[in-house]
């Protein structure tokens, strides 16, 4: 009786083990099938993806062929084109602000360069240039998606290659190339071109009339030189964005700091500013100083990104440091003093 009971228990255990093995095999096959489906779904390359095809009759989601994603979309982890619904980060806005400031600063530089010291038209041209760039920026935001709103939706920048998708078109069979060039950083790449185009249009509509009316102190050949200069630097800025947009995105905070420091030192040296009294004698010098301080702060904020306010905000106290250092050391580096000491044999 005991032997019979043992045989029954053994057969029962073998049956349970056999059923478990069958269930495990079924699960394993299902997992392999899902893996195969995922592999078939994945597209080659970094930026090739499949667009979702909406089907009314079939509830199952259908996908198109591997290719370029429509504008305003980029691939997700499984190479499906997804619409960009994120808002730009603080660093993205700072980058857009930097690219928007470039034409404005160049406008002001050439207006000051060609207007002359006694021209009363420089101030009006400065204000007009600021108005042109401000209106162009507002219109650019309004015409971008979502239309008619002062905000934009964007795709987050993940790496430098996102700016140069044309360099990453895959060749699955090493013969034919699958072209998947797209704006993976939507709209940070193309929005700059749109802004420059509107800046150029508003400049051509407003500035010639203004210069013709108020620039009476300038000769006929000098009145429009600041406008001619803009016709040169706008194509240069466009090429710079087209070729080096990704590099500028990562390097612009350091570019702002270096250029603002160099230009401030050059200006104070050219204006022969050596003491605090020399600095406050003219309002224009104070305006230039505060403008450079704003650029210093802009660069510091761009580098720190204000991730930790308690650590990053105190860095803004370094903004006046370059000007103070220059004023404290200017008297020791004056060329006339160095030459006189050298002549005396010191």
């Amino acid at each position: 009786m005991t032997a019979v009971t043992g045989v029954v228990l053994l057969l029962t255990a073998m049956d349970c083990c056999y059923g478990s093995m069958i269930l495990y095999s079924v699960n394993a096959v299902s997992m392999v099938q899902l893996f195969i489906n995922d592999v078939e779904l994945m597209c080659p390359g970094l930026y090739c993806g499949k667009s979702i095809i909406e089907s009314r009759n079939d509830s199952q989601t259908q996908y198109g062929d591997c290719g370029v994603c429509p504008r305003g979309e980029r691939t997700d982890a499984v190479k499906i084109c997804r619409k960009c619904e994120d808002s730009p980060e603080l660093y993205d806005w700072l980058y857009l602000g930097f690219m928007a400031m470039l034409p404005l600063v160049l406008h002001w530089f050439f207006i000051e360069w060609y207007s002359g010291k006694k021209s009363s038209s420089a101030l009006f041209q400065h204000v007009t240039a600021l108005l042109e760039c401000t209106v162009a920026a507002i219109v650019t935001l309004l015409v971008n998606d979502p239309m008619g709103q002062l905000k934009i939706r964007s795709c987050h920048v993940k790496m430098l290659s996102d700016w140069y998708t044309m360099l990453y078109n895959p060749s699955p069979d090493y013969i034919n190339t699958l072209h998947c060039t797209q704006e993976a950083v939507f709209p940070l790449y193309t929005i700059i071109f749109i802004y420059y185009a509107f800046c150029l249009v508003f400049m051509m509509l407003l500035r010639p009339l203004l210069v013709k009316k108020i620039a009476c102190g300038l000769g006929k050949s000098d009145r429009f030189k600041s406008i001619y200069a803009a016709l040169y630097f706008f194509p240069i800025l466009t090429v710079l964005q087209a070729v080096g947009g990704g590099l500028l995105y990562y390097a612009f905070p350091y570019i702002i700091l270096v250029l603002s420091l160099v230009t401030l030192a050059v200006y104070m040296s050219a204006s022969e500013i050596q003491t605090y009294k020399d600095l406050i004698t003219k309002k224009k010098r104070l305006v230039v100083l505060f403008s450079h301080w704003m650029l210093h702060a802009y660069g510091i904020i761009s580098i720190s990104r204000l991730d930790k306010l308690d650590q990053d905000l105190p860095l803004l106290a370094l903004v006046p440091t370059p000007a103070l250092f220059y004023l404290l050391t200017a008297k020791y580096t004056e060329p006339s003093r160095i030459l006189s000491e050298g002549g005396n044999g010191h």
Side-chain angles (χ1 to χ4, degrees):
M1 190 68 180
T2 304
V4 174
T5 304
V7 172
V8 172
L9 292 176
L10 179 61
L11 292 176
T12 304
M14 292 178 62
D15 184 59
C16 291
C17 292
Y18 182 72
S20 299
M21 292 176 62
I22 294 177
L23 182 61
Y24 177 78
S25 301
V26 172
N27 292 335
V29 171
S30 301
M31 293 176 64
V32 171
Q33 186 64 35
L34 290 174
F35 177 77
I36 294 174
N37 293 335
D38 289 341
V39 171
E40 293 178 352
L41 188 63
M42 297 282 283
C43 293
L46 291 176
Y47 302 101
C48 295
K50 293 186 176 183
S51 300
I52 299 177
I53 301 176
E54 297 182 359
S55 179
R56 297 181 180 179
N57 298 328
D58 190 3
S59 59
Q60 186 178 1
T61 304
Q62 297 181 356
Y63 302 97
D65 297 329
C66 289
V68 59
C69 292
R71 187 172 186 267
E73 299 182 9
R74 72 170 296 172
T75 56
D76 58 10
V78 293
K79 299 303 179 68
I80 301 299
C81 296
R82 304 290 183 183
K83 187 176 181 179
C84 301
E85 298 289 355
D86 300 323
S87 298
E89 298 177 347
L90 174 62
Y91 188 84
D92 298 335
W93 284 114
L94 292 172
Y95 166 74
L96 294 178
F98 167 74
M99 299 303 294
M101 284 191 298
L102 286 180
L104 178 60
V105 171
L106 291 174
H107 276 314
W108 284 348
F109 172 80
F110 286 109
I111 289 172
E112 194 67 27
W113 184 269
Y114 291 116
S115 294
K117 296 182 179 179
K118 297 182 179 180
S119 176
S120 60
S121 67
L123 177 61
F124 294 98
Q125 293 187 63
H126 286 314
V127 174
T128 304
L130 177 62
L131 178 63
E132 294 166 3
C133 294
T134 302
V135 175
I138 294 174
V139 174
T140 301
L141 292 177
L142 292 176
V143 300
N144 271 276
D145 195 12
M147 294 280 290
Q149 300 182 31
L150 292 176
K151 64 178 182 179
I152 56 177
R153 60 180 183 86
S154 69
C155 303
H156 288 315
V157 181
K158 299 179 180 178
M159 49 188 172
L160 180 61
S161 62
D162 291 347
W163 293 84
Y164 305 102
T165 57
M166 67 180 66
L167 303 177
Y168 295 89
N169 292 323
S171 299
D173 56 358
Y174 301 99
I175 299 176
N176 299 313
T177 300
L178 186 60
H179 296 281
C180 299
T181 302
Q182 58 187 287
E183 188 180 9
V185 294
F186 172 85
L188 301 181
Y189 188 77
T190 55
I191 195 173
I192 304 299
F193 300 122
I194 299 173
Y195 168 72
Y196 288 164
F198 280 121
C199 283
L200 187 60
V201 170
F202 288 127
M203 183 195 71
M204 297 305 297
L205 291 176
L206 300 178
R207 193 85 64 81
L209 299 177
L210 177 70
V211 172
K212 186 176 181 180
K213 292 293 183 181
I214 68 175
C216 300
L218 298 175
K220 291 184 178 181
S221 61
D222 296 333
R223 292 184 180 183
F224 300 100
K225 282 189 175 180
S226 62
I227 300 177
Y228 296 152
L231 297 180
Y232 281 99
F233 69 68
F234 267 118
I236 294 175
L237 291 178
T238 302
V239 174
L240 185 64
Q241 166 66 10
V243 177
L247 300 176
L248 288 175
Y249 178 82
Y250 290 100
F252 82 90
Y254 309 97
I255 294 175
I256 291 178
L257 282 181
V258 172
L259 290 182
S260 60
L261 290 175
V262 172
T263 54
L264 179 61
V266 170
Y267 175 78
M268 297 181 74
S269 177
S271 302
E272 297 182 354
I273 300 174
Q274 296 184 355
T275 62
Y276 298 101
K277 293 182 179 180
D278 297 336
L279 187 61
I280 63 177
T281 51
K282 295 183 179 180
K283 295 181 179 179
K284 180 180 177 181
R285 294 178 177 178
L286 292 177
V287 172
V288 173
L289 177 63
F290 288 130
S291 299
H292 280 81
W293 281 0
M294 292 178 63
L295 290 177
H296 295 344
Y298 197 94
I300 292 174
I301 292 174
S302 300
I303 292 176
S304 63
R305 306 192 185 190
L306 297 181
D307 293 331
K308 299 179 180 179
L309 293 179
D310 56 339
Q311 298 180 7
D312 298 335
L313 287 180
L315 294 176
L316 297 178
L318 299 174
V319 168
T321 302
L324 296 176
F325 178 80
Y326 180 90
L327 294 175
L328 292 174
T329 59
K331 58 183 179 180
Y332 301 110
T333 58
E334 186 178 357
S336 59
R337 177 177 177 176
I338 296 175
L339 292 175
S340 62
E341 291 181 353
N344 295 332
H346 296 289

